[in-house]
């Protein structure tokens, strides 16, 4: 199974020494202009970093800002990245990364280290009860037929964790893709859904996709 590839923006202004990583790295982000959450803080959403250089990042994300909106993103591998939304891409957005030359050099070093060391040590997802799907894009369908795009954080045979622009009440029935379940708990970046019926591991990702 595989979704459409995200277009990778050209870093036309980046120098030849630029280091780029193209792959999947889980993280979280917040956008300026979004309403505050119930605790008075910024809304935080899960995301997946698909491409990064010291000058630009590309995210698959459930909520997309307008060009010029400020974005703050965090990834364990690369730390906190701040910048501005440049443009929308397929199911996400590209953002320019702020930083002086010395900060960009440090980020380039992190990217290079990650490419060289971490990717070779990633375990096979079948070793884990939960895993990140190859394509994190899905749609939530509520009982009144309202549909909302969502980002799948991780999935198992019994449930799924998602991030979206909505936060349903606990025990709300809904479908994620074509799988029916109920909201069972809240997460820092979304909520968890328990499936009504246990899914086959080989089929669950395909049933989450709606195209």
């Amino acid at each position: 199974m595989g979704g459409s590839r995200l277009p990778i923006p050209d870093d036309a202004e980046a120098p030849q020494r630029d280091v780029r990583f193209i792959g999947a790295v889980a993280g979280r982000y917040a956008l300026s202009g979004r309403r505050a959450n119930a605790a008075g803080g910024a809304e935080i959403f899960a995301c997946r970093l698909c491409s990064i250089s010291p000058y630009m990042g590309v995210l698959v994300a459930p909520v997309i800002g307008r060009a010029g909106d400020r974005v703050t993103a965090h990834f364990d591998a690369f730390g906190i990245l701040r910048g501005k939304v440049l443009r929308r891409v397929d199911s996400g957005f590209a953002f320019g990364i702020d930083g002086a030359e010395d900060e960009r050099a440090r980020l380039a070093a992190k990217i290079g280290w990650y490419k060289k060391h971490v990717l070779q040590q990633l375990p096979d997802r079948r070793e884990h009860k939960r895993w990140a799907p190859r394509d994190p894009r899905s749609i939530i369908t509520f009982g009144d037929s309202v549909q909302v795009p969502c980002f799948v954080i991780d999935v198992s045979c019994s449930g799924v964790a998602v991030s979206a622009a909505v936060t349903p009440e606990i025990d709300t029935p809904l479908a994620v893709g074509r799988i029916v379940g109920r909201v069972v708990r809240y997460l820092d970046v979304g909520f968890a859904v328990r499936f009504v019926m246990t899914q086959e591991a080989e089929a669950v990702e395909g049933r989450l996709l709606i195209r």
Side-chain angles (χ1 to χ4, degrees):
M1 182 195 71
S4 59
R5 286 185 178 273
L6 286 174
I8 304 301
D10 294 325
D11 292 341
E13 299 178 0
Q16 292 300 313
R17 68 177 180 275
D18 190 15
V19 179
R20 175 180 288 183
F21 166 71
I22 299 174
V25 179
R28 57 184 62 191
Y29 73 102
L31 291 165
S32 65
R34 293 288 303 178
R35 67 186 183 276
N37 59 25
E43 283 189 303
I44 301 174
F45 303 99
C47 63
R48 182 177 294 182
L49 180 66
C50 296
S51 172
I52 185 173
S53 78
Y55 296 84
M56 183 181 294
V58 180
L59 303 180
V60 173
V63 177
I64 302 172
R66 297 165 297 183
D69 281 355
R70 298 291 303 175
V71 55
T72 301
H74 178 267
F75 306 93
D76 288 344
F78 307 118
I80 297 175
L81 305 176
R82 295 182 174 88
K84 289 184 179 180
V85 175
L86 297 176
R87 57 188 175 274
R88 181 171 187 151
V89 298
D90 186 20
S91 297
F93 60 89
F95 70 104
I97 299 173
D98 294 343
E101 285 305 310
D102 60 334
E103 294 172 314
R104 297 189 193 281
R106 286 195 293 270
L107 179 54
K110 291 179 181 179
I111 295 170
W113 187 92
Y114 190 86
K115 290 171 64 175
K116 183 176 180 180
H117 297 283
V118 177
L119 292 182
Q120 300 175 3
Q121 301 175 26
L122 291 179
D124 190 298
R125 68 176 177 86
R126 291 171 297 181
E127 298 174 0
H128 300 275
K129 186 175 181 180
R130 285 191 171 271
W131 68 90
R134 284 164 289 200
D135 188 336
R137 297 167 291 178
S138 189
I139 294 176
I140 299 168
T141 304
F142 293 95
D144 57 4
S145 297
V146 170
Q147 293 188 317
V148 179
C150 69
F151 176 93
V152 177
I153 303 169
D154 59 40
V155 62
S156 74
C157 295
S158 61
V160 64
V162 301
S163 186
V166 296
T167 306
E169 294 184 359
I170 298 296
D171 208 37
T172 297
L174 49 78
V176 182
R178 299 190 300 276
I179 308 178
V180 177
R182 288 183 178 272
V183 178
V184 292
R185 66 180 181 278
Y186 297 134
L187 312 171
D188 289 343
V189 291
F191 55 93
V193 174
R194 180 179 296 137
F195 299 145
V196 171
M197 297 182 63
T198 301
Q199 304 294 306
E200 295 291 335
E202 296 77 13
V204 63
E205 289 192 35
R207 299 198 67 203
L208 290 175
L209 286 175
I210 291 183
R211 291 290 178 266

